[in-house]
Amino acid sequence: MDLLQQSWLAGYRTVAPVSRDDEAMLPAFVMLRRMLLTAWLASHSDTETARRLGTGYTDGTVALGDRFLRGL
């Protein structure tokens, strides 16, 4: 789990508990959200956001997906 996710969990736990089972699902939720945003960018390629992020966001999603599938 990366530093951003660890920090998010630490902050969240100051408000409410997070079970270990729920914590284990966090990488899957991050991956799902990343894929959804990538699909949105592809379907809204005429927007400033899509133009600004360009193919770098998609490339990053592919790299994240590769790490996710390898269990890293």
Side-chain angles (χ1 to χ4, degrees):
M1 183 175 302
D2 70 13
L3 183 59
L4 182 60
Q5 290 178 28
Q6 292 172 9
S7 296
W8 180 86
L9 280 168
Y12 193 93
R13 284 188 170 122
T14 66
V15 177
V18 178
S19 72
R20 294 295 172 194
D21 287 339
D22 289 342
E23 181 180 337
M25 291 300 300
L26 188 55
F29 290 134
V30 169
M31 187 70 243
L32 177 59
R33 182 64 176 152
R34 184 74 185 228
M35 291 179 351
L36 288 169
L37 286 171
T38 301
W40 185 91
L41 289 171
S43 67
H44 292 80
S45 59
D46 58 330
T47 65
E48 177 59 31
T49 300
R51 284 191 295 273
R52 189 179 77 251
L53 293 175
T55 59
Y57 193 85
T58 300
D59 293 341
T61 301
V62 170
L64 183 66
D66 184 53
R67 287 191 307 273
F68 176 78
L69 291 173
R70 288 188 289 127
L72 302 177

